[in-house]
Amino acid sequence: MATTIETFKASGKFSPELIDELKKVVKQVSIKKGTVLQRTGDSSLSTYLVINGLLKSYTIDEKGKEHIFMFASEKWVIGDIDAHSENSTAQLFIEAIEDSEIEIIDPNFLKLFKQFPQPVLYNELERLLKRTSVLQKRILMLMSHSAKERYDEFLKMYPELVQRVPQKLIASYLGITPQTLSVIRGTIY
Amino acid sequence: MATTIETFKASGKFSPELIDELKKVVKQVSIKKGTVLQRTGDSSLSTYLVINGLLKSYTIDEKGKEHIFMFASEKWVIGDIDAHSENSTAQLFIEAIEDSEIEIIDPNFLKLFKQFPQPVLYNELERLLKRTSVLQKRILMLMSHSAKERYDEFLKMYPELVQRVPQKLIASYLGITPQTLSVIRGTIY
DNA sequence: CGAGCGCTTGATTGAGTTCAAAAATCGTGG
DNA sequence: CCACGATTTTTGAACTCAATCAAGCGCTCG
């Protein structure tokens, strides 16, 4: 499979200087099954491209239970979606399920292109990253939290919406019935 | 709030010709509460930027039950994440919860930038779109399908992984316990 | 003003969890 | 290459959270 650097060289569109810069932010390594590439709370959030092998990303909840977020086999990319935003720390563990060959793509990878004449796509990308990050959180919530916990989180995250949206829609967003939401709200006070 | 076009003009980086092109793919409209902008199965998948008001996106399952995927209030963008890939049809309904002012961004919006000198970000964006699209499907699965249905879907979607990944990890990915997965597998044959 | 929609409350049911223990499989060292 | 310990999968019983069914109340908006 073509690596990132090879793809860039082959395109013929990049100066040797840029290629050199790229080499600094993209590293190819071989890792053993069980290797943990990233832990919850880590602050350097690389992205990982699987050349061959198999990785998993997951959280561990308060009860110590593991929740798989994603698998990534050949050609797939895995990483915290927040990877490129500043000041964020990892929500996820990333670990090899099989011996694997991977590319480690530094969080600064994208920044190399920020300077180019057309910033639009960069903005577009950041916007999509933000949306995607919300989805990531949502999945983790759905998988690892009870109805009540999800509601509490919703209150914290979108306090304005609670005023504007009918409860039955909030229930639907949380993946529960309006009745259950009503019971939950009843138990709070 | 600054609209897309205003932002582009203000940046001063775009030719009048490009601005004209943009005007063709970005339209501002006012809609009434209850207006349905997109239905499941629609093939022209626009993206919607909320200037003011409130939109929801949702699916309706086989039993007629509505599942909210996202809310979008001021400054938020909503749309099928597949929006920019070819041949895809809408998984989601998009509808106004309040009277709203929105921008309708044509699926061809991004294509305007495909031609520019640095295709990298475009590739990056497409890659992220693909990943995000997977997350969207995952959320819909978690919210509207039983454990057994989710497992069947997993088998269809990732047949190779079933061979390579221990069942307890698949269970975790599906949001169920290994015991439940074992029971499900038992009932299949 | 009244019909319908949204929210609440309660009783019943059921899918999936938890706890526990046995059976099967994996993998590692001798 | 085999054997033993560890991990994974299966099976079963008891339990729990949330869904379903059903009925009543209170708005609001038409």
Side-chain angles (χ1 to χ4, degrees), chain A residues 81-87 107-115 118-134, chain B residues 75-77 110 121-122 124-126 128-129 132:
Chain A
I81 300 289
D82 276 337
H84 305 289
S85 66
E86 302 289 348
N87 310 321
N108 291 316
F109 172 75
L110 275 184
K111 297 210 184 96
L112 290 183
F113 303 96
K114 203 169 185 174
Q115 53 188 309
Q118 305 300 340
V120 179
L121 285 181
Y122 190 82
N123 292 341
E124 204 59 30
L125 194 52
E126 290 203 316
R127 194 142 73 154
L128 182 58
L129 275 169
K130 232 180 261 170
R131 286 169 79 187
T132 308
S133 149
V134 171
Chain B
K75 298 190 190 177
W76 266 93
V77 167
L110 275 184
L121 285 182
Y122 190 83
E124 203 61 28
L125 194 51
E126 290 204 313
L128 182 58
L129 275 169
T132 307

Side-chain angles (χ1 to χ4, degrees), chain A residues 167-183:
Chain A
Q167 283 191 58
K168 62 168 212 160
L169 292 188
I170 295 177
S172 171
Y173 177 88
L174 297 173
I176 61 179
T177 59
Q179 290 91 324
T180 301
L181 179 55
S182 177
V183 170

Side-chain angles (χ1 to χ4, degrees), chain A residues 131-175:
Chain A
R131 286 169 79 187
T132 308
S133 149
V134 171
L135 298 193
Q136 172 173 319
K137 291 202 188 78
R138 179 92 178 276
I139 290 172
L140 296 176
M141 285 302 290
L142 283 170
M143 292 209 305
S144 59
H145 292 273
S146 68
K148 171 150 180 32
E149 291 167 328
R150 298 204 297 274
Y151 179 63
D152 291 343
E153 193 61 26
F154 185 83
L155 287 181
K156 249 191 273 171
M157 199 125 65
Y158 308 106
E160 352 71 68
L161 285 187
V162 180
Q163 317 305 322
R164 292 166 71 181
V165 178
Q167 283 191 58
K168 62 168 212 160
L169 292 188
I170 295 177
S172 171
Y173 177 88
L174 297 173

Side-chain angles (χ1 to χ4, degrees), chain A residues 23-143:
Chain A
K23 283 182 182 159
K24 289 183 196 157
V25 294
V26 180
K27 299 223 151 62
Q28 186 166 340
V29 302
S30 290
I31 56 174
K32 286 262 155 93
K33 174 176 176 170
T35 303
V36 177
L37 293 162
Q38 175 186 297
R39 284 161 215 281
T40 302
D42 280 3
S43 53
S44 177
L45 302 176
S46 297
T47 304
Y48 305 92
L49 170 68
V50 179
I51 297 165
N52 59 63
L54 184 57
L55 306 183
K56 64 176 175 180
S57 63
Y58 60 98
T59 45
I60 295 183
D61 68 21
E62 323 77 48
K63 292 166 201 149
K65 198 171 169 185
E66 173 178 327
H67 300 273
I68 300 287
F69 179 66
M70 277 280 128
F71 296 112
S73 57
E74 288 74 14
K75 297 189 190 176
W76 266 93
V77 166
I78 198 168
D80 261 61
I81 300 289
D82 276 337
H84 305 289
S85 66
E86 302 289 348
N87 310 321
S88 55
T89 58
Q91 299 180 69
L92 300 172
F93 283 78
I94 298 177
E95 184 179 327
I97 301 181
E98 304 175 351
D99 291 350
S100 304
E101 204 170 336
I102 61 170
E103 267 187 16
I104 302 178
I105 300 161
D106 193 272
N108 291 316
F109 172 75
L110 275 184
K111 297 210 184 96
L112 290 183
F113 303 96
K114 203 169 185 174
Q115 53 188 309
F116 283 110
Q118 305 300 340
V120 179
L121 285 181
Y122 190 82
N123 292 341
E124 204 59 30
L125 194 52
E126 290 203 316
R127 194 142 73 154
L128 182 58
L129 275 169
K130 232 180 261 170
R131 286 169 79 187
T132 308
S133 149
V134 171
L135 298 193
Q136 172 173 319
K137 291 202 188 78
R138 179 92 178 276
I139 290 172
L140 296 176
M141 285 302 290
L142 283 170
M143 292 209 305

Side-chain angles (χ1 to χ4, degrees), chain B residues 60-73:
Chain B
I60 296 183
D61 68 21
E62 323 77 48
K63 292 165 201 150
K65 197 171 170 187
E66 173 178 326
H67 301 273
I68 300 287
F69 179 67
M70 278 279 127
F71 296 113
S73 57

